[in-house]
Amino acid sequence: MKLVECPRDAMQGLTDFIKTEDKVRYINQLLKVGFDTIDFGSFVSPKAIPQMRDTAEVLAKLEWEQSSSKLLAIVANTRGAAEAAELEGIKYLGFPLSISETFQQRNTNKSIAEALSSLEEIQNICVAKNKKLVSYISMGFGNPYNDPYAPELVVQFADILKTLGSDVISLADTVGSAEPQTINDLYASLSRHARGVEFGIHLHSTPQAAQSKIAAAYQAGCRRFDGALRGFGGCPMAKDDLVGNLATETIVMYLGSQEVPLTIDSHAFAEAMKIADEIFPKH
């Protein structure tokens, strides 16, 4: 079982800048917990995501060498990928590929065709620099723009990503609208169809629906979950303050109920929750 903690996703949409030293303190604590991967920052335009403008500075102060967790950074183009790939400590480069043409333009200022071209170049960078590529299929359960969508389209995108050489494909419910049965059916279909690729899931949800969504993905065979402590973050396009990331503590609680063995240090986890409550704005 792989748990991916996503402080980057939790922080990136916040208007008020979280101080670099607070990010370092928080992520260094997360590195003690026992997560498989920490999605810690992004190498994108500071104009687009001002909150992440200090990612390289944060990385320089992280105690990653003392941790079993791997670091993941999000990139949106080859420039960002090239910058991230030069930095020791980063294992994964993550790229958001959207099924929605509208969202791809809004998220990376590219068409889907341009994004696929960039993705191929990013994969080449990963191979050259000994990094691994995580490709996210965003808007994987539909979109609010009336752009074309069908489960078969998701499978086609997964095929393309597999062909391009993605090490991990993560299915993302960007607006948090997917029902548990839909999550179960689509994840199971993908994992059967594109064997040989590690699949994960990145869901957004209201707190009330989170456990049923986690259960649906787990029962479909998912063994890689993205989450964020307290469920912070999510997509502002959901237009709902209650739609955030899956709360990591809810994922851990559900997996515990299924007697899934986890390498989580409970003391370090509790301390990370405490720091999260200190640095994230109260709602």
Side-chain angles (χ1 to χ4, degrees), residues 259-280:
E259 300 184 350
V260 177
L262 298 174
T263 57
I264 297 296
D265 183 313
S266 58
H267 177 75
F269 189 91
E271 185 62 26
M273 294 272 281
K274 179 181 176 182
I275 297 173
D277 287 338
E278 292 172 3
I279 67 172
F280 284 93

Side-chain angles (χ1 to χ4, degrees), residues 82-127:
E83 181 181 357
E86 290 295 332
L87 299 172
E88 192 179 5
I90 295 175
K91 181 65 175 178
Y92 291 108
L93 301 187
F95 184 87
L97 178 69
S98 179
I99 289 178
S100 161
E101 190 75 53
T102 303
F103 188 71
Q104 190 72 58
Q105 288 283 0
R106 291 188 178 193
N107 202 32
T108 64
N109 198 32
K110 290 179 173 62
S111 67
I112 292 174
E114 290 169 334
L116 286 170
S117 178
S118 292
L119 195 58
E120 185 172 8
E121 294 171 356
I122 291 167
Q123 170 63 2
N124 291 337
I125 291 171
C126 286
V127 171

Side-chain angles (χ1 to χ4, degrees), residues 74-76 94-101 103-105 107-108 110-120 122 133-141 153-154 156-162 164 166 169-172 174:
I74 297 294
V75 299
F95 184 87
L97 178 69
S98 179
I99 289 178
S100 161
E101 190 75 53
F103 188 71
Q104 190 72 58
Q105 288 283 0
N107 202 32
T108 64
K110 290 179 173 62
S111 67
I112 292 174
E114 290 169 334
L116 286 170
S117 178
S118 292
L119 195 58
E120 185 172 8
I122 291 167
L133 176 62
V134 178
S135 298
Y136 298 87
I137 302 179
S138 64
M139 295 292 174
F141 294 90
L153 193 58
V154 182
Q156 290 175 21
F157 270 61
D159 275 340
I160 293 169
L161 293 173
K162 180 180 179 180
L164 288 175
S166 290
I169 298 173
S170 192
L171 180 61
T174 314

Side-chain angles (χ1 to χ4, degrees), residues 10 52 75 99 132 175 181 194 196 206 211 236 247 269:
M52 294 291 106
V75 299
I99 289 178
K132 291 185 178 294
V175 295
Q181 189 60 54
T206 62
Q211 183 163 310
F269 189 91

